[in-house]
């Protein structure tokens, strides 16, 4: 478990990527000064509007190898739990905390 680097970040940019096999939201997430801004693709369109999730704090794995998804690179893996239809619900703190803080 200690090998997986799970951090908190704030979504600073979000846009739909409907051209992908699995339509997704392309995210830019600020993980603070030490990690910086990272990009991710996540299949979140069932519950999340790209315009409304800017500013939302989320949890992601930051030390996996980047992955090519279509013409995009996903640098971090955004974490969530599946609903009854296996659609992701994002993990988010209930209080605002510093970007980049590590899960323990």
């Amino acid at each position: 478990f200690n090998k997986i680097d799970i951090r908190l970040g704030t979504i600073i940019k979000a846009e739909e990527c409907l051209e992908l096999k699995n339509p997704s939201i392309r995210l830019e997430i600020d993980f603070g000064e030490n990690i910086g801004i990272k990009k991710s693709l996540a299949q979140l369109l069932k519950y999340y509007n790209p315009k409304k999730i800017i500013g939302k704090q989320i949890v992601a794995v930051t030390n996996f190898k980047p992955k090519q998804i279509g013409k995009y690179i996903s640098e971090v893996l955004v974490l969530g739990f599946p609903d009854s239809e296996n659609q992701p619900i994002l993990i988010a703190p209930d209080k605002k905390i510093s970007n980049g803080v590590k899960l323990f």
Side-chain angles (χ1 to χ4, degrees), residues 49-64:
N49 178 324
K51 294 176 185 172
K52 294 182 179 179
I53 61 172
I54 294 172
K56 181 174 184 62
Q57 289 195 301
I58 54 90
V59 177
V61 176
T62 59
N63 66 334
F64 285 168

Side-chain angles (χ1 to χ4, degrees):
F1 182 77
N2 289 330
K3 293 180 182 180
I4 300 173
D5 193 15
I6 300 173
R7 304 279 180 149
L8 182 84
T10 300
I11 298 170
I12 59 170
K13 186 175 180 183
E15 59 187 21
E16 289 182 355
C17 290
L18 301 177
E19 74 275 9
L20 298 172
K21 179 181 175 183
N22 296 309
S24 301
I25 299 177
R26 183 173 177 268
L27 304 168
E28 288 188 24
I29 307 162
D30 182 358
F31 288 99
E33 190 174 306
N34 291 333
I35 297 171
I37 296 170
K38 299 290 183 182
K39 296 175 184 169
S40 186
L41 282 149
Q43 298 172 27
L44 302 172
L45 287 168
K46 179 174 182 181
Y47 292 115
Y48 301 97
N49 178 324
K51 294 176 185 172
K52 294 182 179 179
I53 61 172
I54 294 172
K56 181 174 184 62
Q57 289 195 301
I58 54 90
V59 177
V61 176
T62 59
N63 66 334
F64 285 168
K65 183 178 175 183
K67 183 176 181 179
Q68 182 85 36
I69 302 173
K71 64 180 181 179
Y72 304 102
I73 298 288
S74 187
E75 300 174 297
V76 298
L77 176 64
V78 174
L79 299 177
F81 289 104
D83 70 1
S84 61
E85 297 173 4
N86 210 33
Q87 295 296 310
I89 306 297
L90 292 171
I91 299 171
D94 61 355
K95 294 185 183 351
K96 188 166 177 76
I97 51 180
S98 298
N99 288 334
V101 69
K102 186 174 181 174
L103 179 71
F104 67 94

